Amino acid sequence: MFKLQAKSLATKLIAVTGGTIALVLLASNTVLIQQSQDRVAGLVYSEANTEAKAIASDIATDIGQLASAARSMAGVIEQGHANAHFDRKEVVDIIKANAEKNDFALGSWFAEEPNAFDGKSRETGESLETGTFKDGSFNPYWTKRKDGSIALSTFESDYKAEWYALAANSGKGAMTQPYKESSTGEGFTMASIAFPVVSGGKRIGVTGVDVSLKTLSDKLSKLAPFGEGRVLLLSQTGKWLVAPNADLVMKPYEGVGEDIVKSALSTGKPGLVENVTFDELAAFDRVVYPFALPDINTSWIVLVDVPRAAINAPVQDQTFMMIIGGLIVLAAVLTGLYVAVRMFVQKPLAGLVRDVDALSGGTYTQPVTGQDRSDETGAVAKALEGFRHQLANTRTLEAEASRQRELTEAERSRSETERAESSALQREIVARLGDGLAQLSEGNLAFRLSGDFPGEYGKLKTDFNSAIASLEETIQTVNASVGNIGGGTSEISKGAADLSHRTEQQAASLEETAAALDQLTSQVNSSAENARVAAKSVETANEDASRSGEVVQKAIDAMHGIESSSREISNIIGVIDDIAFQTNLLALNAGVEAARAGEAGKGFAVVAQEVRELAQRSANAAKEIKTLINTSESQVRDGVSLVGRAGDALENIAHQVNQINDLIRQISSSASEQAVGLKEINAAVNQMDQVTQQNAAMVEETTAASMALNDEAQTLKSLVARFRSGSAVTASVQPVQQAARPQVQPQRAAYQPAHAASRPVPQVSGNTALAQDDWEEF
């Protein structure tokens, strides 16, 4: 029986086919498992959201009942207080009923605004029965004890605390963050629901109920969704109300999913935290479901922990079944493939292998088997049959190939010899041309290529020598021109520098003169302006003095009016004194009549006594007012005398101010005339200064251009000096420079008188005129 070998084609075919099928099954099963897992996860998360929604609704209902009870309690207290039906004891009974009938209520309370409930907080002593604290504040508090009973206590007012300030400031119902109660000493963990109590448009306090978080935690801890899941609860600030362990209660949520929790609180949208572990337990996914508590402007978050096993268990069962089915399919396919390979591949290939072995052994007489087959094996057999006929002529073909190899070798040897000779000649020409270029790079223009250049290389020699000769002639001409340019620019630069220096000196002198005139003109203008300002100020002072006299006269008239009014007020005070005396007398008579009436007239006697005291106080006040008015009258007379004397002094000041005003006007007129003259002088000097500054700038530009041209000539000269030619170029440059230099000096000497004569001598009065010699020197 034919056996499969590890290196046979059939074995490889079966292995590749089996591997491919296995990969296809693995890929398809992986996709199906992933889709199944996603569907299962979607169903589980949907169920978890539904359960979280139901739990949130249950909690909202419980808290809503407490909020409704607190709101109703606030409404009852408001109506009773507005109609004056409730006192402190009745309000204590109302909040007691609210604490008894709610299972989640840890306590019920009322906190009074400062002295706002009945206005008696400052005079009422501590009383537990009426809910009065030791400072008189009406702050009753009913709380549940551990044994289920309720007890009444009072607490100190804290208007900045959250349980009071939230509802008081907003004017609406509110719920505090979780905290530990400290007034009763029990240390309960709770949150307060509060509503403001408003009576007659004025807030008289805040009432509310406290939610027991322990009761809520016990209720939620009994829930176990998906078998091993749990239900947790967060407050409106992200703190644990129902936590995985007791140590986390009232602490902020931290760790995995913190950002999702914050987003849910801010947006109100549910979220999902995946792959959460806690206390080294199995991993689970956490559904984050925010919900709003009715009527108290607060949102909490329900957390439902879904065990990963609730999702993975169904997927694992399906995965196991798919793996078993895949293995069965793979085994069936491999079996069918093995049978097909033996029948259609191994047996035909074995016959072809035997025929190939015979051909390799040199036996070409036996025909190849399997040529009658119509498949690929038959095609291979036919091809081997043709190959067998070709092998029969192998010796003849080998002899012909040997002869062709000998001819090819001879031709190759001849070509190699010709290439060697051509390469040697080319290297020699390149070396000689390289020497010429090296001499040219060093600036040697006298070098020429010599010797014979065979064949087509002769033109290269002629062109190189012609280029060197042309370049030598050009360099000699440029060198001579550079010498001439350098001498001329040097003379121009020297003359322009001297002219620039003298122009700068003249411009500086004019600038100093102009500055001095500017300063003098500014001072004269300032003096004139100050004189005008002083004149205007004196004129204003004169007008003010005149008006002050009128004001003083009006003040005197007002003083006389005050004196007259004081006398009239004294008369009125006398009348008031008489009325007080008559009232006191009537009160005394009423007291006597009340004493006669006995017990029935006690109240009237008290009123009479009060009226008598009021009349006595009125009489005393009238006397004090009359004394003050007399004193004021004396002071007003003194004021009238002083104001009169002040008016006389102001008239004298006004007369002197008029005299000063005339003098300052004369000074201002003289200073203005001086300023006009100085301005004209200053304008002339400034114009001369501007013209000189422009000339100096033009000369500086000419000097700079000459120096730049000289620098360029020197640079060009240094570049040309690098080249060496057959004739002595440098010897010819010096005579040219010497010949050019005498021509510059006469031109410069002739230019100076013409230049000096063309500029007029300015005629300026005072010390600002320039000397004739200075202009001629310029």
Side-chain angles (χ1 to χ4, degrees), residues 28-59:
S28 61
N29 289 339
T30 301
V31 172
L32 292 175
I33 291 169
Q34 184 64 41
Q35 292 178 350
S36 300
Q37 187 174 11
D38 293 341
R39 286 195 293 270
V40 171
L43 293 175
V44 172
Y45 294 149
S46 177
E47 184 178 354
N49 279 321
T50 302
E51 188 160 352
K53 182 177 181 181
I55 295 171
S57 178
D58 190 16
I59 296 173

Side-chain angles (χ1 to χ4, degrees), residues 5 11 140 162 177 223 231 306 374 417 449 567 584 590 695 756:
Q5 298 180 359
T11 302
E162 188 179 23
Q177 302 180 31
L223 302 177
V231 179
V306 181
S374 59
T417 303
L449 291 178
R567 287 193 295 270
N584 192 10
N695 293 338

Side-chain angles (χ1 to χ4, degrees), residues 176-487:
T176 67
Q177 302 180 31
Y179 65 96
K180 288 188 177 181
E181 186 271 335
S182 58
S183 60
T184 62
E186 297 293 336
F188 294 113
T189 302
M190 64 183 185
S192 297
I193 299 174
F195 282 85
V197 179
V198 180
S199 176
K202 179 182 178 181
R203 186 174 66 247
I204 63 173
V206 173
T207 187
V209 295
D210 294 335
V211 181
S212 174
L213 297 182
K214 184 178 184 305
T215 304
L216 188 60
S217 177
D218 294 341
K219 179 179 179 180
L220 296 181
S221 298
K222 297 177 182 179
L223 302 177
F226 304 101
E228 298 178 357
R230 55 190 173 187
V231 179
L232 310 173
L233 189 63
L234 297 177
S235 70
Q236 63 268 37
T237 57
K239 292 184 178 180
W240 289 103
L241 300 180
V242 178
N245 56 54
D247 296 336
L248 293 177
V249 175
M250 294 180 63
K251 292 182 179 180
Y253 183 98
E254 296 177 348
V256 179
E258 183 177 358
D259 54 341
I260 298 177
V261 170
K262 292 180 179 179
S263 175
L265 283 174
S266 60
T267 62
K269 296 180 179 179
L272 178 65
V273 183
E274 297 181 349
N275 296 323
V276 181
T277 57
F278 195 83
D279 291 340
E280 299 182 355
L281 297 178
F284 55 87
D285 294 339
R286 177 166 289 168
V287 175
V288 181
Y289 188 85
F291 65 98
L293 298 176
D295 299 331
I296 52 177
N297 301 315
T298 303
S299 295
W300 283 359
I301 291 181
V302 169
L303 303 178
V304 178
D305 289 345
V306 181
R308 297 292 297 180
I311 301 174
N312 295 335
V315 177
Q316 289 176 354
D317 295 339
Q318 184 178 1
T319 302
F320 180 74
M321 294 301 297
M322 294 178 70
I323 291 174
I324 297 299
L327 292 176
I328 294 173
V329 171
L330 180 61
V333 170
L334 290 177
T335 301
L337 183 62
Y338 172 75
V339 174
V341 167
R342 281 185 58 86
M343 293 179 60
F344 302 109
V345 178
Q346 285 184 341
K347 288 182 178 180
L349 286 180
L352 291 176
V353 169
R354 286 194 299 270
D355 292 335
V356 171
D357 289 339
L359 292 176
S360 63
T363 304
Y364 307 135
T365 57
Q366 185 178 356
V368 178
T369 59
Q371 298 184 34
D372 55 343
R373 298 179 63 89
S374 59
D375 54 9
E376 289 79 1
T377 305
V380 172
K382 293 175 182 178
L384 285 175
E385 181 64 20
F387 183 63
R388 182 178 67 83
H389 290 291
Q390 292 178 1
L391 289 177
N393 300 323
T394 300
R395 293 181 179 86
T396 303
L397 295 176
E398 288 179 354
E400 182 65 23
S402 177
R403 187 174 65 82
Q404 290 293 334
R405 282 196 300 271
E406 292 175 358
L407 293 175
T408 302
E409 184 66 24
E411 183 66 23
R412 186 183 63 80
S413 177
R414 184 171 60 257
S415 299
E416 288 291 335
T417 303
E418 293 177 355
R419 282 196 299 271
E421 293 175 356
S422 176
S423 177
L425 178 59
Q426 185 177 7
R427 284 196 298 272
E428 181 182 359
I429 296 300
V430 170
R432 294 171 65 184
L433 185 60
D435 293 338
L437 292 175
Q439 292 294 328
L440 180 59
S441 66
E442 295 176 0
N444 185 9
L445 301 178
F447 178 79
R448 298 293 185 273
L449 291 178
S450 59
D452 294 333
F453 279 66
E456 59 185 4
Y457 296 108
K459 190 175 184 301
L460 181 61
K461 171 185 174 182
T462 303
D463 293 342
F464 179 81
N465 290 336
S466 299
I468 291 295
S470 178
L471 181 60
E472 181 181 11
E473 182 180 358
T474 302
I475 293 300
Q476 289 175 354
T477 304
V478 171
N479 199 1
S481 300
V482 166
N484 294 331
I485 293 172

